[in-house]
Amino acid sequence: MLSFPSPGSQQRVGPSGQSGRNKVALKPGHSLMDWIRFSKSGKDLTGLRGRLIEVTQEELKKHNKRDDCWTCIRGLVYNVTPYMDYHPGGEEELMKAAGIDGTELFDQVHRWVNYESMLKECLVGRMSTLPTTTIKAMNPPPPPTSLAPPTSLAPPPDKDSRPRYDWFQTEASVHLVVYAKRKIPGSGCTVVDLEAGVFRLQVLLGKMSYMLHLRLAEDVEGNVAVHTAFTVGKIQITMRKQAKGKWTSLGQPLESHNTFLRHKDRAVYHRDCVLVSKTEVNHNTHVFRLQLPRGTVMHVPVGKHVYLKALIQDTEVVRPYTPVDQNLAAASCQSPQDSDLYLMIKVYPDGVITPHLNSLSIGDHISVSGPEGTFSLRPLRDVTDLYLLAAGTGFTPMARLIRLALQDIDTIRKSKLLFFNRREEDILWRCQLDALAANDERFQVEYVLSEPCEGWTGRRGRVDESMLKDFLNRPDGSKCYVCVCGPTAFTELTIGLLKQQGFSEEDLHAFQG
């Protein structure tokens, strides 16, 4: 239950403009770092003096008050009473799960959080198993023998619509083919990880996820080739054998092999990437270039983000970041083989994870998840006018959208960016934005400063109704779409103002985590 999103993060509000969480003002001394220090202080946070117990439904229900609050997440029961004053969403949000199973509520907001690490000192025990007659009726897998949380499975989709896979081989190579049984959207993504002989493939198909997970029968070279036929729904993965010859099988199935589940029911998987460069953008923001492991193939679609995970004072801390291209003109000069991730990150001196990231040296490792997020390119198909409203680092998802609109979507006649910052020196990639606007008449950018210097001749102030009316031109016969990204207060106010001006849910997207 981390402070998510962090102050100033772009990953805040859902497509409808309704915030997944309501941030509250925490008392002084109750930040995430304060919680980490408090939880390591040796105090008894469970009230059980270190014992772990089995908790029945009846017992769980008793602990449903502000000063005695237990909740269950994936079969594990926590006493969250000590965490109340530290929770960024406030006690009201925690109390929604008081005395009950809070897994669904938890997943709606932050399924990616390592709650086991954050709340391990609050662990009461696990839920006791159900009566035998109930288990027989439900026929679930046998209960785990340890405190590891059970996996959450969605009802299996119709068998005929499930993706399937096959494989074939030559003397020198092995080929694995996935038949998705549906068109694979251009913004869909396939992620392959090959490490120490273990092959892991995840294909995102809308809200569903298909996975293959195998220990390969024989050794292969580290490089993996992936070819996708989007319209026919076919993905082929090719690996070169280390020793020529015939395999008798593809390998040994591992956990979650050949499963088709809701993506949100998958555990978030991270791989170790290497920091290869850090380039200054302005006085407090850098672009971190991360190199994927040799056996990983992953391209993050436009509008999606990844999670970075770091161990801070023995606690896993996770934060979302939206990749950018190497620069605004990257698509025309970037090599197709360049699969590195570029993350534009603002360093907050009192932040939890950014000082750690800033302290990393070239060659150090960073743990990175696969692509996440709800953004879809589908609504842009017939858009003629694209409006982008960004505040601070909320610019990051807009950077690739701008390039996409200008180079790949012929129907978009005009893209306009209204970029809010405090001071002139805070504007990210200003020279590139100005150059792009000067060289392409379909792109316009305007800057708004809340604390401008005396010589500033551009827009001043904060987002308001008159500013948006002036900026948003809706010609007759046009199809407009608006993307919003910034801190919570900015995003919620902006979405509200846009709806007042007649924009519908279908005309808007606010980036979320």
Side-chain angles (χ1 to χ4, degrees):
M1 292 187 182
L2 304 181
S3 171
F4 170 73
S6 57
S9 165
Q10 68 269 30
Q11 315 293 348
R12 284 194 171 270
V13 177
S16 67
Q18 296 303 308
S19 177
R21 310 180 66 179
N22 295 313
K23 297 272 287 184
V24 300
L26 296 173
K27 299 173 187 173
H30 286 78
S31 68
L32 174 56
M33 288 305 298
D34 291 317
W35 167 253
I36 291 173
R37 283 189 285 269
F38 178 64
S39 68
K40 308 292 182 196
S41 65
K43 290 188 172 68
D44 176 18
L45 302 187
T46 65
L48 299 174
R49 298 180 182 176
R51 291 181 299 123
L52 291 176
I53 64 173
E54 280 206 349
V55 182
T56 63
Q57 291 281 359
E58 291 72 24
E59 182 65 26
L60 180 62
K61 286 177 187 175
K62 294 176 186 175
H63 302 272
N64 63 355
K65 302 181 216 30
R66 165 66 177 83
D67 58 353
D68 180 18
C69 183
W70 291 8
T71 192
C72 173
I73 305 175
R74 292 189 180 86
L76 301 181
V77 178
Y78 297 92
N79 180 0
V80 294
T81 314
Y83 187 62
M84 285 284 179
D85 290 336
Y86 294 87
H87 187 234
E91 65 178 68
E92 183 181 347
E93 186 176 305
L94 279 183
M95 288 302 293
K96 290 177 184 175
I100 61 171
D101 188 321
T103 305
E104 192 68 28
L105 287 166
F106 178 86
D107 284 346
Q108 286 172 14
V109 182
H110 34 29
R111 73 178 183 87
W112 47 272
V113 170
N114 191 331
Y115 59 90
E116 296 158 280
S117 177
M118 284 295 299
L119 296 175
K120 62 186 173 186
E121 304 302 331
C122 299
L123 180 63
V124 170
R126 67 169 302 113
M127 292 298 294
S128 60
T129 53
L130 296 170
T132 307
T133 51
T134 310
I135 288 178
K136 284 179 179 174
M138 292 173 59
N139 194 26
T145 55
S146 70
L147 281 174
T151 54
S152 167
L153 299 179
D158 175 36
K159 217 169 187 182
D160 289 339
S161 70
R162 284 175 53 94
R164 68 176 184 87
Y165 78 100
D166 202 352
W167 71 287
F168 62 95
Q169 60 181 315
T170 65
E171 281 285 312
S173 59
V174 60
H175 306 268
L176 194 150
V177 183
V178 172
Y179 302 95
K181 298 188 181 177
R182 54 184 52 75
K183 285 184 179 180
I184 299 171
S187 60
C189 48
T190 300
V191 181
V192 173
D193 290 285
L194 176 63
E195 184 181 15
V198 173
F199 174 85
R200 185 183 187 278
L201 165 99
Q202 186 172 2
V203 184
L204 294 184
L205 298 165
K207 294 181 179 180
M208 301 299 290
S209 158
Y210 180 63
M211 182 179 288
L212 299 178
H213 194 197
L214 292 149
R215 181 172 295 283
L216 297 176
E218 306 284 348
D219 292 334
V220 294
E221 301 290 344
N223 292 331
V224 181
V226 178
H227 301 281
T228 304
F230 292 97
T231 53
V232 296
K234 177 181 169 184
I235 302 163
Q236 181 168 315
I237 296 95
T238 299
M239 295 169 279
R240 293 191 63 80
K241 298 174 179 176
Q242 278 196 3
K244 290 187 177 181
K246 292 287 185 179
W247 291 10
T248 55
S249 73
L250 183 58
Q252 180 69 33
L254 298 175
E255 182 185 5
S256 299
H257 176 63
N258 197 22
T259 54
F260 190 42
L261 309 176
R262 294 177 304 178
H263 177 57
K264 71 174 188 174
D265 287 332
R266 297 268 188 215
V268 177
Y269 180 81
H270 291 78
R271 73 273 304 144
D272 271 344
C273 295
V274 175
L275 177 63
V276 293
S277 71
K278 190 169 75 169
T279 307
E280 185 176 290
V281 177
N282 68 7
H283 61 99
N284 61 8
T285 305
H286 292 78
V287 170
F288 291 70
R289 181 176 183 174
L290 307 182
Q291 185 180 69
L292 296 166
R294 184 183 177 202
T296 294
V297 178
M298 181 175 86
H299 297 279
V300 181
V302 173
K304 304 287 188 184
H305 58 269
V306 296
Y307 296 119
L308 300 190
K309 181 172 69 172
L311 198 63
I312 311 289
Q313 295 189 15
D314 296 325
T315 298
E316 283 189 350
V317 178
V318 186
R319 287 288 184 270
Y321 295 97
T322 304
V324 297
D325 289 321
Q326 193 169 0
N327 53 60
L328 280 180
S332 57
C333 66
Q334 209 165 341
S335 149
Q337 284 74 41
D338 184 5
S339 60
D340 292 352
L341 286 175
Y342 297 85
L343 301 177
M344 186 180 288
I345 297 175
K346 180 178 179 179
V347 177
Y348 296 91
D350 57 349
V352 177
I353 197 171
T354 56
H356 167 78
L357 297 175
N358 201 38
S359 71
L360 295 175
S361 301
I362 304 305
D364 284 349
H365 288 248
I366 303 175
S367 191
V368 182
S369 80
E372 298 277 342
T374 61
F375 182 78
S376 169
L377 294 177
R378 186 169 295 173
L380 298 181
R381 284 177 181 169
D382 56 350
V383 165
T384 60
D385 294 78
L386 178 64
Y387 295 102
L388 309 173
L389 306 171
T393 50
F395 166 69
T396 54
M398 308 307 184
R400 294 178 75 198
L401 262 178
I402 292 167
R403 194 270 306 157
L404 183 85
L406 296 178
Q407 297 189 13
D408 295 344
I409 305 181
D410 296 335
T411 56
I412 296 180
R413 300 191 296 250
K414 182 156 289 186
S415 300
K416 292 177 70 174
L417 170 66
L418 191 60
F419 195 1
F420 294 80
N421 286 278
R422 289 177 61 196
R423 296 182 297 270
E424 210 167 341
E425 60 264 32
D426 296 328
I427 300 172
L428 304 170
W429 275 0
R430 183 180 181 182
C431 290
Q432 293 190 45
L433 288 167
D434 289 343
L436 192 62
N439 293 324
D440 195 324
E441 61 182 13
R442 292 173 301 145
F443 176 68
Q444 295 176 16
V445 59
E446 290 189 58
Y447 308 106
V448 185
L449 300 183
S450 59
E451 299 176 14
C453 63
E454 286 185 16
W456 177 253
T457 57
R459 291 182 185 264
R460 298 167 176 255
R462 301 179 185 276
V463 64
D464 60 26
E465 184 180 4
S466 62
M467 189 182 294
L468 291 186
K469 275 186 177 176
D470 187 37
F471 179 74
L472 297 166
N473 181 27
R474 304 173 77 178
D476 289 342
S478 65
K479 174 79 167 67
C480 300
Y481 195 76
V482 187
C483 293
V484 182
C485 197
T488 304
F490 168 83
T491 305
E492 291 181 346
L493 174 59
T494 304
I495 290 290
L497 292 170
L498 290 167
K499 287 181 176 178
Q500 286 176 24
Q501 294 190 25
F503 284 91
S504 68
E505 298 278 344
E506 290 71 33
D507 302 327
L508 305 171
H509 181 86
F511 284 91
Q512 62 163 341

